[in-house]
């Protein structure tokens, strides 16, 4: 591009300095706050005051940060689910639905199985059933993709709407096992006490946060060290190379998508064993599955970085929620606006990480008169 | 069962199809240039909320629709800048657009949440044509945009297949290097058509709000119609005229749950019937994945691939 006598060029970088990763992310966040601020100002809120309050209530108080860690817990799982699949260029965007199924599956285990299990096994079994249900929900898109090459993007997304209606059916439409029989008010039946985890003291942080963090670190380590991790990264870079080397694309595709579904299902389970204790339509409102995609993209599909971006996002959410309670309430959707903007800016910023911006003065060559 | 009910259902199906056709045409134009824009759902929502807010504020239907189109253009420009100029991943950029549009439409629509639609796009009066039994109400009871949309599909089809810019567009999606060698800017062709596509998607959202919606409720407005439109592109094999047939079919699956509910026909619980459009779409996608069907489809070959001239 040439402006005046300046020529602006992008030169590919051979290596990216470490600080640039953080700089781009930090700038994206800053720009997102500017966008959020503009819309706040347009709707008659003080931009700086509101955003400051959001940060304070999301991160900078004991209550805020523990609430944030609590809601970051399932978000780490959906973030890992997205990162795990996206790294292999498999765009499973059905985490939302897989998470709902995880909630249903683990509530079923918590109601039916947990009573017959020894106390120590109840929680793990409930979590396992959630993961399995999540994997089951991605089975169809995974098989279609692996066997017929059907794009998993739209198929996994469409199933979100099916799962949404399924949860509504279990709570509002039927009087089945998931519904609390003791009241005519439509709400979920509580799972066995032995299958639930208490929170730490008076906070809203649950022990599941350690499972989520351990999963992230474990995955990071496993995918770096194991043969499987190596195969997936070869496949991601070049499916043809992987095929010539004798790796089975069907197996890799299936396993990656199913495991991604299981991670998303686990997010639903953590909601059940922790705060909800039942199939709860509250999960349908918060969009943890969609947010997981943003969290993963912002972490550049690095599993350990997912922990940080999930906490960042959960804080926006918690801070956003607290803004609703004030004399001039701000809709909680400001959090989603911020999340979307961060991702848009981070995507745009990617180009500066991969390329160097060169501005050169060009000599005006005048044709001999 | 009353036959009038089914006439009404078909009529509604054709009406809903208007939004689907507009959004699908937008996506076809975009994808034919080699850009995939998954942000349809987000653009629809932004178009819808814009139409609602503007008509609520001014009472002016045309201004409302015009601004919906502009908002669609703005959203598509974000996508084009990110994916064409800055070469970001098209899939992730599209998803970011959905999340952004989802949040922003909720945020700016909050003050009017639940409020009744201020103005309505009225059906046209086609006189004697509408009085034809059965066909009259089904085909001739719609507003002007429905008919313009059909004409639009025809225009798009002629543009793609019978004009020189249309040829360049198709070539850009299939063999950008050739287009570049001809001295045509691939980036420009892609930019223009992504934005044109966004304009159609914005209109789709605005029209849907003012013709089909009743009150502004973000959660209930588009309900996945954007994703259905993206499936429709595959169903229509990237051909504008086929989009009409597909849109009516998908419009029907969207409308049937409401008809059954209204008629108190409870073969299945309403929540299960609500799954119909999504399950039907999924079913169609599966059918289209068989190797035989795939050969007949012919997606743009370089769909989703950024074009960099001097990359070796």
């Amino acid at each position: 591009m040439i402006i005046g006598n300046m020529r602006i060029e992008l030169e590919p970088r051979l290596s990216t300095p470490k600080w640039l990763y953080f700089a781009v992310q930090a700038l994206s966040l800053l720009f997102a706050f500017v966008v959020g601020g503009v819309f706040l100002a347009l709707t008659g809120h003080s931009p700086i005051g509101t955003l400051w309050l959001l940060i304070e209530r999301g991160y900078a108080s004991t209550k805020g940060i523990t609430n944030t860690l609590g809601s970051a817990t399932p978000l780490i799982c959906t973030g890992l689910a997205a990162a795990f699949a996206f790294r292999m260029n498999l765009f499973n965007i059905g985490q939302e639905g897989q998470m709902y199924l995880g909630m249903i599956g683990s509530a079923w285990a918590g109601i039916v199985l947990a009573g017959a299990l020894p106390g120590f096994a109840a929680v793990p079994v409930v979590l396992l059933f959630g993961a399995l249900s999540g994997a089951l929900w991605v089975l169809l898109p995974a098989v279609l993709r692996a066997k017929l090459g059907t794009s998993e993007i739209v198929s996994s997304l469409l199933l979100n709407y099916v799962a949404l209606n399924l949860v509504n059916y279990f709570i509002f439409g039927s009087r089945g096992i998931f519904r609390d029989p003791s009241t005519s008010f439509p709400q979920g039946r509580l799972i066995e006490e032995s299958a639930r985890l208490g929170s730490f003291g008076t906070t809203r942080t649950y022990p599941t946060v350690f499972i989520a963090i351990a999963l992230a670190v474990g995955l990071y380590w496993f995918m770096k060290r194991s043969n499987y991790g190596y195969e997936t990264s070869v496949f991601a870079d070049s499916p043809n190379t992987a095929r010539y080397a004798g790796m089975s694309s069907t197996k890799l595709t299936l396993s990656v998508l199913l495991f991604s579904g299981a991670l998303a299902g686990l997010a639903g389970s953590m909601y059940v064993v922790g705060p909800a204790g039942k199939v709860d339509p509250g999960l349908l409102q918060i969009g943890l599955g969609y947010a997981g995609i943003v969290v993963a993209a912002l972490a550049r599909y690095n599993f350990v970085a997912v922990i940080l971006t999930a906490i960042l996002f959960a804080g926006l959410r918690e801070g956003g929620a607290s803004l609703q309670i004030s004399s001039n309430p701000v809709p909680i959707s400001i959090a989603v606006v911020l999340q979307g903007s961060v991702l848009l800016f981070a995507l745009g910023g990617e180009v500066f990480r991969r390329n160097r911006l060169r501005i050169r003065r060009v000599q005006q060559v005048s044709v001999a008169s | 069962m009353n036959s009038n009910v089914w006439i009404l259902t078909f009529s509604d199906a054709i009406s809903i199809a208007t939004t689907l056709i507009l959004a699908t045409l937008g996506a076809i134009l975009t994808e034919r240039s080699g850009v995939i824009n998954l942000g349809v759902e987000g653009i629809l929502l932004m178009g819808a909320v814009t139409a609602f807010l503007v008509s609520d504020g001014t009472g002016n239907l045309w201004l409302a629709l015009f601004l919906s189109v502009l908002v669609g253009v703005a959203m598509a420009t974000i996508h084009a800048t990110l994916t064409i100029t800055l070469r970001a991943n098209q899939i992730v950029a599209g998803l970011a657009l959905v999340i952004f549009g989802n949040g922003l439409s909720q945020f700016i629509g909050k003050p009017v949440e639940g409020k009744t639609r201020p103005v309505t796009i009225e059906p046209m009066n086609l006189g004697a044509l509408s009085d034809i039994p059965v066909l009259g109400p089904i085909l001739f009871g719609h507003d002007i945009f429905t008919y313009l949309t059909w004409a639009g599909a025809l225009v798009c089809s002629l543009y793609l297949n019978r004009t020189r810019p249309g040829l360049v567009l198709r070539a850009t999606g299939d063999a950008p290097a050739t287009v570049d060698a001809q001295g045509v800017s691939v980036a420009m062709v892609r930019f223009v058509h992504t934005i044109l596509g966004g304009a159609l998607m914005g209109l789709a959202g605005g029209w849907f709000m003012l013709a089909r919606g009743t009150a502004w409720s973000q959660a209930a407005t588009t309900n996945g119609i954007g994703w259905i439109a993206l499936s429709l592109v595959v169903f229509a094999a990237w051909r504008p005229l086929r989009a009409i047939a597909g849109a009516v079919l998908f419009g029907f699956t969207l409308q049937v749950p409401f008809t059954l509910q209204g008629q108190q026909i409870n073969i299945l619980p309403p929540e299960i019937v609500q799954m119909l459009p999504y399950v039907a779409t999924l079913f169609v996608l599966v059918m289209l994945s068989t190797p035989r069907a795939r050969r007949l489809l012919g997606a743009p070959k370089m769909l989703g691939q950024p074009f960099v001239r001097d990359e070796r």
Side-chain angles (χ1 to χ4, degrees):
Chain A
M1 197 167 17
I2 297 175
I3 299 170
N5 63 347
M6 304 290 232
R7 185 213 286 271
I8 302 172
E9 281 179 342
L10 288 173
E11 269 181 17
R13 281 175 195 277
L14 295 174
S15 66
T16 309
K18 276 244 151 55
W19 60 268
L20 202 62
Y21 287 99
F22 295 101
V24 168
Q25 242 63 331
L27 275 179
S28 307
L29 199 61
L30 191 71
F31 280 127
F33 274 103
V34 172
V35 170
V38 168
F39 284 108
L40 282 170
L42 287 175
T43 49
H45 301 277
S46 144
I48 294 174
T50 309
L51 290 172
W52 189 247
L53 202 62
L54 185 148
I55 293 172
E56 194 188 317
R57 291 186 178 171
Y59 312 98
S61 62
T62 316
K63 184 168 173 253
I65 190 69
T66 51
N67 283 353
T68 294
L69 280 176
S71 61
T73 307
L75 192 54
I76 294 175
C77 291
T78 53
L80 291 176
F84 194 75
F86 280 37
R87 268 164 57 103
M88 221 180 102
N89 293 324
L90 290 170
F91 296 98
N92 169 21
I93 52 175
Q95 283 91 0
E96 191 75 25
Q98 291 141 23
M99 179 177 68
Y100 297 168
L101 261 286
M103 171 168 75
I104 293 172
S106 47
W108 182 84
I111 293 166
V112 177
L113 299 179
L117 292 167
F120 67 89
V123 171
V125 167
V126 167
L127 291 177
L128 186 70
F129 265 82
L132 286 177
S133 317
L136 191 71
W137 203 241
V138 80
L139 186 64
L140 178 74
V143 170
L144 286 176
R145 167 67 202 235
K147 294 284 179 195
L148 297 172
T150 312
S151 160
E152 71 287 2
I153 302 168
V154 178
S155 62
S156 62
L157 187 284
L158 285 170
L159 282 171
N160 286 351
Y161 291 93
V162 179
L164 175 83
N165 282 302
L166 201 63
V167 175
N168 280 335
Y169 172 69
F170 285 138
I171 296 300
F172 302 105
S174 72
R175 295 200 155 269
I177 177 164
F178 296 107
R179 175 104 171 242
D180 185 353
S182 64
T183 163
S184 62
F185 180 75
Q187 63 176 29
R189 184 201 298 250
L190 284 175
I191 63 171
E192 295 285 336
E193 202 50 48
S194 65
R196 295 197 61 182
L197 293 171
S199 63
F200 294 118
T202 55
T203 68
R204 279 196 241 155
T205 310
Y206 289 81
T208 41
V209 71
F210 296 118
I211 303 181
I213 291 174
L215 260 175
V217 177
L219 268 179
Y220 180 82
W221 179 81
F222 179 74
M223 296 308 273
K224 255 207 153 61
R225 294 278 166 219
S226 72
N227 195 28
Y228 181 78
Y230 175 69
E231 288 194 359
T232 51
S233 63
V234 172
F235 189 87
D237 279 344
S238 163
N240 284 333
T241 310
R243 223 164 284 136
Y244 291 138
M247 301 169 191
S248 158
S249 71
T250 312
K251 263 187 209 155
L252 284 174
T253 307
L254 268 178
S255 58
V256 166
L257 282 175
L258 290 181
F259 192 68
S260 166
L263 285 167
L266 204 55
S269 314
M270 290 183 171
Y271 187 67
V272 172
V273 298
K278 59 190 179 202
V279 174
D280 191 290
L283 186 65
L284 310 182
Q285 312 295 325
I286 40 189
L288 287 176
Y290 296 111
I293 297 168
V294 190
V295 163
L298 210 60
R300 304 189 66 248
Y301 317 128
N302 175 317
F303 300 120
V304 173
V306 161
I307 304 174
L308 298 178
T309 50
I311 292 173
L312 174 76
F313 265 48
L316 289 181
R317 160 116 219 140
E318 287 299 324
S322 76
L323 295 178
Q324 287 175 299
I325 315 153
S326 88
S327 53
N328 186 6
V330 180
I332 186 170
S333 36
I334 187 67
V336 189
V337 175
L338 289 173
Q339 293 173 356
S341 323
V342 174
L343 183 54
L344 287 171
F345 283 115
L347 282 171
E350 190 80 357
V351 77
F352 299 109
R353 196 151 45 196
R354 272 184 281 125
N355 300 282
R356 189 190 301 272
L357 198 66
R358 273 281 161 91
I359 300 173
R360 286 208 190 97
R361 214 173 275 280
V362 283
Q363 299 271 295
Q364 293 288 347
V365 183
S366 49
V367 182
S369 48
Chain B
M1 196 185 316
N2 200 329
S3 68
N4 282 332
V5 175
W6 289 106
I7 291 179
L8 210 64
T9 306
F10 275 109
S11 165
D12 278 336
I14 287 181
S15 174
I16 291 186
T18 308
T19 279
L20 284 172
I21 298 171
L22 282 171
T24 307
L25 287 179
I28 288 177
L29 286 177
T30 310
E31 293 193 13
R32 274 291 175 127
S33 79
V35 176
I36 183 158
N37 183 355
L38 290 186
V40 187
E41 181 78 4
I43 301 181
L44 285 179
L45 279 168
M46 284 305 295
V49 77
T50 307
F52 193 99
L53 288 173
V54 174
S55 60
D56 191 48
T58 65
N60 189 330
L61 179 95
W62 298 100
L63 184 68
L65 287 174
F66 177 69
L67 288 177
S68 297
V69 171
L70 277 194
V71 165
V73 166
M75 297 275 284
T77 308
I78 298 178
H79 188 68
T81 310
L82 283 178
T83 61
I84 302 169
T85 314
L86 301 178
R87 295 172 215 155
N89 182 312
Q90 300 188 1
I91 309 271
V92 183
L95 287 174
L97 219 52
V98 174
I99 293 166
F100 181 69
N102 189 6
L104 191 54
S105 61
Q106 232 175 81
F107 181 71
I108 59 177
K110 187 72 183 174
V112 292
E113 184 90 28
K115 202 170 173 184
T116 326
R117 173 183 57 190
V119 292
T120 308
I121 301 175
E122 296 292 346
M124 280 174 88
N125 183 5
L126 291 171
L129 279 175
S130 328
D131 298 333
I132 307 170
V134 186
L135 280 184
I138 292 180
L139 286 178
F140 302 110
H142 301 291
D143 65 61
I144 185 156
F145 287 95
T146 303
Y147 305 110
L148 285 179
T149 299
W150 296 350
L154 185 67
V155 170
C156 268
S157 178
L158 291 175
Y159 171 68
L160 273 172
N161 298 314
R162 295 270 182 276
T163 69
R164 190 164 173 82
L167 179 71
V168 173
L169 170 60
R170 284 185 290 139
T172 309
D174 281 332
T178 314
V179 173
D180 186 62
Q182 289 282 318
V184 178
S185 160
V186 171
M188 186 53 87
V189 174
R190 290 188 166 173
F191 233 96
V192 167
H193 289 93
T194 303
I195 287 174
L196 206 60
L200 288 172
M201 294 169 195
L203 180 63
W207 178 87
F208 188 77
M209 187 68 244
L210 298 182
R212 302 290 317 173
T214 44
W216 170 251
S217 150
Q218 199 261 5
T221 301
T222 54
N223 237 326
I225 283 184
W227 297 102
I228 293 181
L230 281 169
S231 319
L232 250 172
V233 176
V234 183
F235 183 79
W238 289 267
R239 288 172 176 77
L241 286 179
R242 285 198 208 170
I244 300 182
V248 172
L249 191 74
F250 282 63
F252 189 72
T253 67
L254 279 168
Q255 191 54 38
V256 161
F258 293 101
T259 306
L260 291 181
Q261 227 164 329
Q263 288 297 296
Q264 314 246 310
I265 302 169
N266 299 316
I267 328 163
L268 289 169
E271 290 87 2
I272 302 295
V273 181
Q274 292 286 345
M275 295 175 186
L276 178 71
Y278 314 107
V279 174
T281 310
L282 206 58
F283 180 75
V284 167
L285 279 180
V286 174
M287 289 292 106
L288 292 175
S289 310
T290 57
R292 218 181 84 81
R294 189 176 290 268
R295 235 175 302 134
L296 296 172
L297 280 179
K301 289 192 183 60
M302 298 307 273
L303 188 60
Q305 305 291 323
F307 174 71
V308 187
R309 184 191 287 158
D310 40 25
E311 208 167 64
R312 272 175 279 258

